[in-house]
């Protein structure tokens, strides 16, 4: 069973930056693709960004394109989400997710979830 542990959330002012980390207990076929999702209060969980361990072809939601960057460190089994130019509407609990396959699969059918980390953007 793959375990995902997020960290790096916190309180930041609009326009600021945060970097989230997702530590993966072990890389298996079932965690070949990694993604970040978020859920704001009263809203459904939504896709943010995805990447695979094998290549550098990330996929982003339009709302974060150009502001957020997903990256992975294969040696550390860690996936990052660098968030710049944060907006009030980025406030949410951010979840790390994993799935077998590629970015399409982890975006549509994530199989393993982390516990989430809170990101709060203030004015």
């Amino acid at each position: 069973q793959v375990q995902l542990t997020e960290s790096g959330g916190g309180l930041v002012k609009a326009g600021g930056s945060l970097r989230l980390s997702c530590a993966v207990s072990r890389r298996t076929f079932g965690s070949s693709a990694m993604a970040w999702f978020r859920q704001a209060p009263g809203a459904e969980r939504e896709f943010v960004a995805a990447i695979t361990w094998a290549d550098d072809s990330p996929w982003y939601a339009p709302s974060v394109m150009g502001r957020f960057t997903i990256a992975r460190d294969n040696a550390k089994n860690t996936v990052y989400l660098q968030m710049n130019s944060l907006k009030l509407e980025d406030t949410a609990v951010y979840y790390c997710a994993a799935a077998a396959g590629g970015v399409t699969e982890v975006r549509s059918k994530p199989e393993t979830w982390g516990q989430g980390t809170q990101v709060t953007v203030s004015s």
Side-chain angles (χ1 to χ4, degrees), residues 28-59:
T28 67
F29 175 75
S31 62
S32 56
M34 303 295 299
W36 288 96
F37 289 75
R38 66 186 182 185
Q39 187 167 20
E44 293 186 355
R45 193 171 298 188
E46 64 174 0
F47 168 79
V48 175
I51 196 168
T52 68
W53 295 105
D55 61 52
D56 285 319
S57 299
W59 197 1

Side-chain angles (χ1 to χ4, degrees), residues 9-10 20 37-41 43-44 46 48 83 87-95 116-121:
L20 306 182
F37 289 75
R38 66 186 182 185
Q39 187 167 20
E44 293 186 355
E46 64 174 0
V48 175
M83 305 184 295
K87 304 177 181 180
L88 298 178
E89 52 264 41
D90 294 319
T91 294
V93 177
Y94 284 71
Y95 296 91
T117 185
Q118 176 71 46
V119 172
T120 303
V121 184

Side-chain angles (χ1 to χ4, degrees), residues 3-22:
Q3 292 186 326
L4 309 178
T5 305
E6 302 99 331
S7 61
L11 176 65
V12 63
K13 288 190 175 182
S17 299
L18 276 177
R19 188 179 78 160
L20 306 182
S21 299
C22 173

Side-chain angles (χ1 to χ4, degrees), residues 70-81:
I70 188 170
R72 79 280 193 274
D73 186 329
N74 290 30
K76 295 182 177 180
N77 285 357
T78 301
V79 177
Y80 303 98
L81 185 68

